[in-house]
Amino acid sequence: LIFQNATFVTSYFPKTTWFDAYTLEMHECQGDYVTVSAPMDKIPLYYRAGFIIPFQEPGLTTEER
């Protein structure tokens, strides 16, 4: 369901550790639905612990940065 002017969202987080992409705050989830803040100017974004998120632009060689 989508609610107009909602400032929160309820999402399912599988059992593991998650990190808020903006604050890097750690959240231990037990495989439950969690209500998180979702103001109009911020998309709720979480990274699953133990995974590598590449931020570097691709290069043609290993020397290129």
Side-chain angles (χ1 to χ4, degrees), residues 53-59 61-62 64-65:
I53 310 296
F55 289 101
Q56 181 177 339
E57 292 292 324
T61 69
T62 57
E64 195 174 332
R65 295 179 193 207

Side-chain angles (χ1 to χ4, degrees), residues 19-53:
F19 290 92
D20 183 308
Y22 302 102
T23 65
L24 299 181
E25 182 180 346
M26 184 174 74
H27 300 275
E28 284 289 333
C29 296
Q30 301 302 316
D32 290 327
Y33 285 90
V34 178
T35 300
V36 295
S37 176
M40 295 300 291
D41 62 340
K42 176 185 163 193
I43 297 172
L45 181 62
Y46 291 84
Y47 295 123
R48 187 175 187 167
F51 286 80
I52 297 171
I53 310 296

